[in-house]
Amino acid sequence: MKNNKTINLVQIGAYDGDLYDPIQNFLISNYPNIRGYLLEPQAEPYNKLVQKYKNFKNIIPLNYAIHPRKK
């Protein structure tokens, strides 16, 4: 990234941060300028996501789902 602007983002369905993740390279290569939340509802891929981004303090994995009903 050529400037110091912060990029804020939310990724819905982040899965494990590797498999079919179209933004993983962008997140890692632009990390100093990224502030993001990565949402993944499934436990196993979420745990892998947490491990992948554990050293990236501004990239926060969250174990949530987006759905119109609470059930």
Side-chain angles (χ1 to χ4, degrees), residues 17-49:
D18 283 315
L19 190 63
Y20 306 116
D21 189 344
I23 68 168
Q24 70 173 313
N25 291 334
F26 177 80
L27 289 174
I28 293 169
S29 64
N30 294 288
Y31 168 69
N33 300 88
I34 299 286
R35 182 180 318 141
Y37 297 95
L38 311 180
L39 281 67
E40 176 51 49
Q42 299 178 79
E44 188 175 328
Y46 168 75
N47 291 332
K48 290 178 182 178
L49 188 66

Side-chain angles (χ1 to χ4, degrees), residues 10-11 14 36-41 46 49-50 60-65:
V10 175
Q11 183 182 24
Y37 297 95
L38 311 180
L39 281 67
E40 176 51 49
Y46 168 75
L49 188 66
V50 168
I60 302 165
L62 298 170
N63 190 216
Y64 293 128

